[in-house]
Amino acid sequence: MSIWWSLHLRRDAASVPLARRLLIGTMETAGVDPDVSYDISVALTEACANAVEHGGTARGGHTEAYRVTAYLDGEKCRIEVADSGPGVPSAPAPDIRMARVDAEDGRGLCLIRELADHVHIGARPGRTGTVISFDKILKWKKDPSLLTA
């Protein structure tokens, strides 16, 4: 089975749970194991929160949108979150260290790296902004809820 969708979302905190619920619903319908679904949805939540917080502001003070794309193809799920912020440096990213336990933020990229099988953080080719993409190998429920017509 192959499923993909893409959302163009406002950089607003209310957009984060929308993306997460859509992903969870897609994976539940496809029959993905709930534990795998949970891990990838937490990683998506962190990536979206980073886009909302660091994703840039359009001219005139309006918040720009960010894009979330999900691919479920065969045994793998790939998520991409792209924003229009200042981007990441072109040099290789330094090792990301876990934030202090009492820190308000700084854990997102560490969580994504722990929950996903492969993570890539880079600049958008030819544009400003950052793309966080991550993959997770899928496991399936014994009795998927996807019904065929």
Side-chain angles (χ1 to χ4, degrees), residues 88-95 113 121:
V88 294
S90 59
D95 289 337
R113 286 196 168 139
I121 302 167

Side-chain angles (χ1 to χ4, degrees), residues 33-101:
D33 178 82
D35 291 336
V36 172
S37 183
Y38 177 79
D39 285 353
I40 198 85
S41 71
V42 171
L44 172 66
T45 299
E46 293 299 330
C48 289
N50 281 347
V52 167
E53 185 173 346
H54 306 292
T57 304
R59 294 180 184 101
H62 295 46
T63 57
E64 287 190 11
Y66 67 102
R67 188 187 76 235
V68 176
T69 306
Y71 306 89
L72 277 75
D73 192 18
E75 299 297 315
K76 182 170 70 172
C77 176
R78 166 167 274 183
I79 306 290
E80 293 179 0
V81 178
D83 66 40
S84 300
V88 294
S90 59
D95 289 337
I96 296 175
R97 292 180 174 79
M98 191 61 145
R100 292 185 355 227
V101 175

